[in-house]
Amino acid sequence: MSEARQQKDKDYWQAVVRSADIKAKPKRILFDGTPLVLFRSAQGIAALFDRCAHRLVELSTGKVISGEIECPYHGWRYNGEGRCTAIPGHVGDVPHYRVRRYSAIERDGVVFVSAGTPQGEPYRHLVRVEVTGGKGWVESCYTGENRQQGLVSRLLEGERARTIGRYRHPGIVELEYWGKGGLALATTFHLRQADERTVEGVGWLIGPRQGLFGELKALAFRPLFAFALQQDRRVLKSASDNARIPPQVQPATGPLDFLRRDIAAIIDGKMPPAAAEPRVHQIEL
Ligand code: FES
């Protein structure tokens, strides 16, 4: 196996202990057969190879002092990066000694460790977002979401390969969930400005015909769908009421509002910027 491949195989996070288990004292664990010492350093949770560079004593039997771990034998100290910062009795700069450091992070009350350099956070991964457009339409296509998919949506849609969100003139919003075998689920809303303050619409939920199983899925999905719509309606009403309080300002366009400029251009009767220049973004889920 190539070195790059071997490295990639290590680029995952693994939960090792509860955060509450790492208190003032260091803790030794075995990680893939390697002893590690976990302790709270100045930069957060740290994981080092549990062996002092000096006489190979277990660092985990030492103490944590000011966010550094001190070896119990001759007192060499190491910071969270694994670099030796102090040698008792030594005059002058500390020579370059170190012990191997492992990536470590705390999330949701759990300590995760990795022997590689994983991108992103535990449970999260990168999703690619491709934005394309043309006269009167713009869409964003999300790929790489399947690992993030919950049990309910797996049951309703099957394994998800990509999701497409599309806006079409004059106020049509479409969402499509594509599985490995084709379109698994879609929604379409035709929205219109009913009066100055109200948008009304008609929507469909569309899925493949699957006989009784399809009927059951639709039955299961309907209350969830109604609940999501109700929540949306409540939030939008409260935002609309809130926006009327002076001073009146324009809402901000966030870094993940990928289609906002394009939709504004389409509403203005112009070509969306994505038509001339398709874009690719990455988001973390
Ligand atoms: S063995 Fe650790 S300081 Fe000597």
Side-chain angles (χ1 to χ4, degrees):
M1 197 186 298
S2 73
E3 211 171 290
R5 175 74 200 278
Q6 275 180 352
Q7 180 60 34
K8 197 163 170 31
D9 285 348
K10 294 179 182 165
D11 288 346
Y12 59 85
W13 288 113
Q14 184 145 16
V16 287
V17 290
R18 295 179 313 150
S19 292
D21 295 335
I22 312 292
K23 300 199 172 87
K25 282 189 183 171
K27 184 173 180 70
R28 177 180 168 103
I29 62 159
L30 282 175
F31 182 72
D32 247 347
T34 305
L36 302 188
V37 55
L38 304 178
F39 66 98
R40 298 198 175 279
S41 76
Q43 290 77 35
I45 198 80
L48 305 181
F49 189 35
D50 190 13
R51 200 156 72 181
C52 178
H54 188 211
R55 295 277 190 275
L56 314 185
V57 164
E58 291 174 22
L59 289 169
S60 55
T61 54
K63 285 188 280 193
V64 179
I65 298 171
S66 305
E68 298 187 336
I69 189 154
E70 186 181 87
C71 178
Y73 201 9
H74 308 102
W76 287 26
R77 276 199 200 178
Y78 300 88
N79 65 15
E81 297 292 307
R83 194 169 61 78
C84 181
T85 56
I87 296 178
H90 171 73
V91 178
D93 291 346
V94 178
H96 188 78
Y97 298 113
R98 59 180 315 131
V99 293
R100 182 173 171 197
R101 167 193 166 265
Y102 284 70
S103 305
I105 196 169
E106 268 180 298
R107 288 293 178 271
D108 304 324
V110 176
V111 176
F112 294 83
V113 167
S114 173
T117 46
Q119 277 198 350
E121 302 224 339
Y123 304 129
R124 298 179 191 172
H125 66 282
L126 295 175
V127 169
R128 178 186 154 94
V129 187
E130 206 173 332
V131 180
T132 51
K135 187 170 165 44
W137 66 275
V138 63
E139 71 175 36
S140 53
C141 177
Y142 294 72
T143 45
E145 295 169 288
N146 52 332
R147 284 164 51 205
Q148 187 67 16
Q149 216 180 340
L151 187 63
V152 172
S153 64
R154 255 173 218 269
L155 197 67
L156 292 166
E157 310 161 31
E159 188 87 355
R160 194 188 298 167
R162 65 182 195 273
T163 305
I164 297 176
R166 187 180 303 113
Y167 175 85
R168 289 199 285 127
H169 181 74
I172 301 169
V173 178
E174 298 169 329
L175 261 183
E176 295 172 359
Y177 302 99
W178 290 77
K180 292 213 165 81
L183 186 60
L185 198 66
T187 61
T188 299
F189 284 96
H190 285 222
L191 303 170
R192 64 180 197 288
Q193 197 76 43
D195 61 32
E196 197 198 338
R197 289 205 62 203
T198 319
V199 171
E200 288 185 350
V202 177
W204 296 261
L205 177 64
I206 306 149
R209 286 198 187 282
Q210 292 175 315
L212 186 60
F213 182 55
E215 295 295 325
L216 286 174
K217 270 171 51 171
L219 265 181
F221 196 83
R222 218 167 284 158
L224 296 174
F225 196 53
F227 179 70
L229 279 179
Q230 211 170 25
Q231 264 195 332
D232 255 16
R233 191 176 296 146
R234 203 174 306 135
V235 171
L236 289 174
K237 169 148 185 3
S238 113
S240 160
D241 292 344
N242 215 23
R244 288 161 72 89
I245 299 170
Q248 298 209 338
V249 292
Q250 286 299 316
T253 301
L256 303 188
D257 296 334
F258 299 131
L259 301 189
R260 186 116 171 222
R261 280 186 307 133
D262 300 271
I263 292 173
I266 292 169
I267 290 171
D268 276 356
K270 298 179 189 145
M271 279 298 254
E277 211 174 319
R279 307 184 294 273
V280 175
H281 307 271
Q282 276 197 322
I283 59 172
E284 193 178 67
L285 288 184

Short mmCIF file of all heavy atoms in Angstrom, two decimals, residues 61 90 186:
data_model
loop_
_atom_site.label_atom_id
_atom_site.label_comp_id
_atom_site.label_asym_id
_atom_site.label_seq_id
_atom_site.Cartn_x
_atom_site.Cartn_y
_atom_site.Cartn_z
N THR A 61 2.01 8.66 34.26
CA THR A 61 2.17 8.52 35.71
C THR A 61 2.71 9.81 36.33
O THR A 61 2.96 9.88 37.52
CB THR A 61 3.14 7.35 36.04
OG1 THR A 61 4.37 7.57 35.34
CG2 THR A 61 2.58 6.01 35.63
N HIS A 90 18.81 22.23 33.80
CA HIS A 90 19.51 22.57 32.55
C HIS A 90 19.56 24.08 32.37
O HIS A 90 18.56 24.77 32.56
CB HIS A 90 18.80 21.91 31.36
CG HIS A 90 19.33 22.36 30.04
ND1 HIS A 90 20.55 21.95 29.56
CD2 HIS A 90 18.82 23.22 29.12
CE1 HIS A 90 20.76 22.52 28.38
NE2 HIS A 90 19.71 23.29 28.10
N ALA A 186 -39.32 14.37 -4.58
CA ALA A 186 -39.19 15.76 -5.04
C ALA A 186 -40.32 16.59 -4.46
O ALA A 186 -41.40 16.07 -4.14
CB ALA A 186 -39.24 15.81 -6.56
#
